[in-house]
Every structure is written in structure tokens, then in C-alpha cells.
Amino acid sequence: MSTETLSVGTGAIGDADIFAARQEFSGGLPDWFTTMQREHWTRFLESPDPTRLDETWRFSDLRPLSKIAGFVPTPFEKPDADDLIARSNTVKNPAGQLVFVDDNLAAARVMDAELEKKGVIFTTLFDALNNHGDLVREYFMKETPQLGSEKYEALHVALVRSGVFLYVPDGVEVDRPFVVYNWTQQEKGAVFPHTLFVSGKHSKSTLVEFQRAASTETEHLVISNAHVFSGDGSETNHRIIQDWNTKTLSFQLNTNNADRDTNAKSIIVNVGSSQARQEVHGKIFGSGSNVEMYSVNVPRKDQQFDQRTLQTHLAPHSRSDLLFKNALLDKSRTIFSGLIIVEEGAQQTDAYQTNNNLMLSGDAESNALPGLEIKANDVKCSHGATTGRIDESNLFYFLARGITRSKAHELIVFGFLEEVIEKFGDEALEDYVRGRLAEKSLA
Amino acid sequence: MNTLEIKNLNVTIDGQRILKDFSLTLPKGEVHALMGPNGTGKSTLAKALSGHEDYEIESGEALLDGEDIIGMEPDEIARAGLFMAFQYPSEIPGVTIANFIRAALTARLNEGETFRAPDFYKELYARMDELKIDRKFTSRFVNEGFSGGEKKRCEILQMAMLKPRYAIMDETDSGLDIDALKIVAEGVNKMRGPDLGILIITHYQRLLNYIVPDKVHVMADGAIVRSGGPELALELEEKGYESVTAEPAGASS
Ligand SMILES: Nc1ncnc2c1ncn2[C@@H]1O[C@H](COP(=O)(O)OP(=O)(O)O)[C@@H](O)[C@H]1O
Ligand SMILES: [Mg+2]
């Protein structure tokens, strides 16, 4: 890393001139975009910090938020990270692949030429802004989660410089996944990965994101956004495996937007971060759609996973299913706060929201705040949260077969999580996730 | 040495004594039946021997080929070679039969030994075919949503795969229709041999038509009151427990 680069526009987030200094590097980007960034910077500065009184931050540990000002947005330069590029090989034979290290594209873009011919766009956000500006403009920040992190979302938009634009045209079906690796490397670095996934009518595609750190020892701030727009009759599969190191303060602010007759499925696996704030808003704009929002969480030690979800039904005859499974070890904490909103006229909605917590330690703490807000009269909705420990008679059954107590615990925990993991529908990826959870969280 | 020798076992649950100086010797290579009315303590014997913490063993010994298993952890007892086919097997969400049995076998590997998946599946499928369990069941979660008969066959499958030295089968016949009973009996008969001792717990003699025991023991109120040959089971069926247990222990053996 050259010191010259560091001296130009790479102070900390709390420095007065950081935004202006970074904007010097925005040459060539569309005006609407840089204007939007400026507005968001102002909004970031003017927005108050969350407080204990905010419903959307209930039970959250607010102390780490005060450290945000001290993180340094990573410099604009091609990273030297051959080992990380080599390790970005979890999915064999992807349809396309992008590898970022500290918000900079690290390896040459991989993309199936046949798909390119069919009009599929899979590229960096900045490349897309330059070459497909109008298309990006139509969707960029069009929908937001509105679940409490607006200040940090504003910071994200103001400082975003890296990201992925996936556009699958009408009628194009892609079986192999598009894959993104985001790595953090620089000590005290702040990164702002952005994902914009637009699927055309009757298209089918899968996007898998791996979030990782080069080292276990460095501290990071990550504010990432991912927005999926599923067009009429399309199937979208979006997966995020959040595996930052445990010195990372992370935000994942997502929307899943479904038009008519879609099958929009998302799974988020949380392994890493010291504190991971996850906001997911499923918005169902069209009827006949099925929107699935699943999450697997295995916090250990002092990790805190803060989950805020919203399922908004704006159209009749659609289904949404949300399932968040948390297995808590050590002194870890989770907060699940979920709301289903069925708007007036969204008749014959089926909406489900479930949060299951498996407490593996007496010191762990789970908080669940499920809710419903129904303005239509002909709907099927259920919401529920459970908290339990390992069932002793089940445990005995394992022991009686000669399986050790620790292995039995592991199998029971995976059994608990399996309901979501099997939803990947991709055996290699499922095995990767199981292996990663076993290695990192249950070892 | 080649016996499971239970000597003067006294077991209490919640302070209430259920097994009272219970003694029984099961030689390897033999099949014994333990019969008795409901509530006499048959399942208590099974659970206590498998090391369940709810069952307090006040005194007594259980020597598995000479090694006292009393006080050992349940998983150690199982690995020492005692298998329990439960009357009410647990349902385990999210854990497939294949993974469950695999974990049990892996726990038995000696240092330096590795698990061989192809051999494992070959054997698993062969045993499943014998027990007429659909091969698709390998990816079903253990006992979840199984019928009573499927659960019992799954217990026998585990027994066949784990190759214990001694097995206690608690009411394996309950909840089985006649076809399932025959399949289970056939499976057990295949396992009979010089390296396995089996104790069949039942309160009907029906199963014993298909698995003919070497010996029959009748239990009442926490202890064995009579022992004899297979004909004792028929006598029980005919006359009922009350008249049989009224005669002095050992009178017909
Ligand atoms: N877990 C338990 N807690 C309390 N009492 C029990 C428990 N298990 C068995 N018992 C009691 O012990 C006695 C023997 O039961 P059990 O061993 O199940 O008999 P069997 O299997 O011969 O029908 C019964 O009186 C029963 O109520
Ligand atoms: Mg019983």
C-alpha cells in the first residue's frame, strides 16, 4: 500500500474532509450518482445516532456504533492479494465471478461468454454506472429496508465505491451461480460492498456472496447493502455467507422485491463479526409470488447478531415465509425482531414468520420480538418464536449409540439448523456451509 | 467371562425401588427372553444398564465380559458393546439415519482407523434390504414421522450396523403387525451367533414364536421369579402371569 494513496482522501470516517477528498476520485461517474452520494453524506452527518429509545434498536448493544468514526475507508488501488484470489474458489465453475479485496476489484472478472451474448450483465457497480447508467439508476436505492439503520445506509451510499451489478434479461435461465467474494484486509479499514441483482421476467438465476477476512486479527467496519428485484415470473436465489472475522462490526441491509408470480429466495448464514446487524425487508409488490427469507446463525463467545426483518404484502394472493434459526453458544446474544405487514387489499396473503433459538449455554441470551400488522381481513398469517435447550432424551439416544456428548451436541445443533441449510438446494454449498460452521463455531 | 452377568442390582427412581436384587446371566451366543407384566421394571433394567442418569443404581454389578459397566457413561457403555433397542426410540430432527449410524460407527474407530464411506453404504443398503427398509430412508431424519413398525426396524438396523456383543431389545414387538414382526424376527435371527448375546424383553409370547429363545425368565415386582426353557413362554401364554409367578422360582428349569 503506497503512502501517497493513503494521504489522498483516506482519512477516517470522522474526519471533516473525508467525503470531499474521496469524491475527487469519482471522475466519470454520472451526475445523478455523485449528487445522490453528496445528499447521503449530508444525511449521514445530520442523522442522530440510534438510542435505546428507538424501537428498531431495542435490546441492541449501541456501544460499538461509537467506534464507526474511527474506521478508515480503504484506498482506491488494486490490491496485492494473490493468496486471497487463490482462496476464492469455493464454487467450482461459476457462471461469473468477482473478487474484491478491501472494496477493490482484485482479480479479472470471470464471465460466461454465452451468457454475455444473451445480454446478461455481471460486473462491478462502477463499470455498470459507466456503461449501463440508466439501468442502474432505475433500481439503485429504489427500495430500502427502513428498519433502523438509515444513518449507516446513508454512509454506505455516500462512500460506496465497490459492488456488483447482476442483470439477467427476460427469459434467460442460468443454472450455475454467479459468485462474489468480498475480502477485508486492511487494519481499521471500512468497506461498503453493494449488490444490485435485477432479474428480468421469467428469468432464473442464483447469486452467492462470500464475505471473508484475510486475517483474524484485524479490525473492520463493513456496511453492505444487497437489493434483489425479482421480475414477473422469475426465480431468484440469493445467498450470503457472512464470515467476516470476529473483530468486524458489520451491517447487512437488504431488500427482496418481488413482482408477480416470482419465486424469490434468500438465505443468509452468519458465522463471523463481533456484531452483525442484519436487516431484511421482503416487499411483495405482485400477486402469486412466493418469497422466502431464511437465515442460519451460530454466534459464539461475545458475538452479537441483531436481526430485524419486515415482510410487507402490498398485493393479494402471495406467500412469504421467513425462518431465522439461531444456535447460541457461550456468552453470545441474538435479537430477532420481525414484523409482517399485510396492507389493505392484500387479501389471501399467506405469511409466516418463525424464529427458533437453541440455547447451548446458560450464559447466552436470545431476544425475540415477533409482530403482525394486518389491514386485510382474509389472510393466513402466523408468527412465532421459540427458545429451547437441547432435549435430554434426544441427547441420551445419541449417547446410547456410543456417540460422545460433544459429537452428539454437534449433530443436534446441525440437525436444528438443517431445516434452513437444506434449502440451499446445492449439495456442494451445503457441505461447505456445514463444514464452515463446524470449524468455526462448534470446534 | 463371555457373559453379561447382572448381580444383585438394586435400582431406584425418585427414591422408589424398582429393581430388587435383580440377577441374570446372559451367555454370549444365547438368546434369553425376559417376560413379565407391565410395570415390573423391565424397561427400568434396560435404561439402568444403559447408564441413564434418571435411574439410580444403589448397589449391584453388571459385568460385560468381566468389565463392570455400572457407573460408566452411557456412551462408554454402548462402545463397550451393549446395545439397547428402545421401546420408545427418540425422534431426532435434522439428523439423517445415515449420518446418525455413521457417527456411531466413527465413535467406535480405533486410533489410526479411518471411516470408509463406500463400505459403509454397501453394508447399510444390504441391511436395509434385509429389513425391507426403503433405501430412501438413509436420508430421512432419525425416526421423525416414522410409523411404530418403521421405528422398530430402524432400531434393528442400528443394531445390525453397530455389531454389539450384547443387545437388550425392549418390547421390540409392540406396535408391529404380523408382517413387520416376521421381518424384525428374521433380521434378529440372522444376527444370532456365537459373538452376540440377546435379551428380548416382551410381555407377549408372540415374538418368541419367531425368535425361539434358549431361556425364558419371568419377572415380577423387580426380580426374576422363574426361569425355564422356551416352553415357559407357552405356559405363561396359557395360564397367565399370576399362576406362573405363584410357583417357586427355578421350579421348571
Ligand atoms: N422415569 C420414570 N419416572 C418415574 N417412575 C418410573 C419411571 N420409569 C419407570 N417408572 C416406574 O417404575 C416401574 C417400572 O416401570 P418399567 O420399568 O417401565 O416397567 P415395565 O417395562 O416392566 O413395564 C413402574 O411403576 C413405573 O411407573
Ligand atoms: Mg417397558
Side-chain angles (χ1 to χ4, degrees), chain A residues 391-405 407 411-412 414-416 418-419 422, chain B residues 50 52 73-75 78-79 83-84 86 90-95 100 103-104 107-108 143 155 158:
Chain A
D391 182 273
E392 282 299 320
S393 62
N394 278 1
L395 178 62
F396 179 72
Y397 193 63
F398 284 85
L399 298 176
R401 295 296 175 250
I403 299 167
T404 60
R405 203 168 280 270
K407 184 70 187 174
L411 288 168
I412 290 170
F414 276 106
F416 169 77
E418 189 58 27
E419 194 179 355
E422 71 181 9
Chain B
S50 52
H52 197 293
E73 291 295 320
D75 57 321
R79 292 196 300 273
F83 182 88
M84 202 62 59
F86 291 103
S90 295
E91 299 187 6
I92 312 291
V95 181
F100 186 70
R108 286 163 171 78
N143 294 324
E155 293 289 286
Q158 294 173 43

Side-chain angles (χ1 to χ4, degrees), chain B residues 38 42-44 87-88 170-171 201:
Chain B
N38 269 327
K42 303 185 297 296
S43 293
T44 300
Q87 184 171 0
Y88 304 109
D170 192 2
E171 307 270 3
I201 295 175

Side-chain angles (χ1 to χ4, degrees), chain B residues 129-166:
Chain B
D129 293 349
E130 279 168 18
L131 290 163
K132 300 199 167 52
I133 300 173
D134 191 322
R135 289 185 181 191
K136 286 199 198 90
F137 269 62
T138 47
S139 53
R140 290 274 302 266
F141 300 146
V142 179
N143 294 324
E144 204 178 58
F146 287 20
S147 69
E150 286 166 346
K151 282 183 185 170
K152 296 300 170 72
R153 272 187 276 167
C154 179
E155 293 289 286
I156 304 304
L157 174 66
Q158 294 173 43
M159 177 173 155
M161 292 298 292
L162 299 180
K163 299 185 181 57
R165 290 193 261 176
Y166 298 93

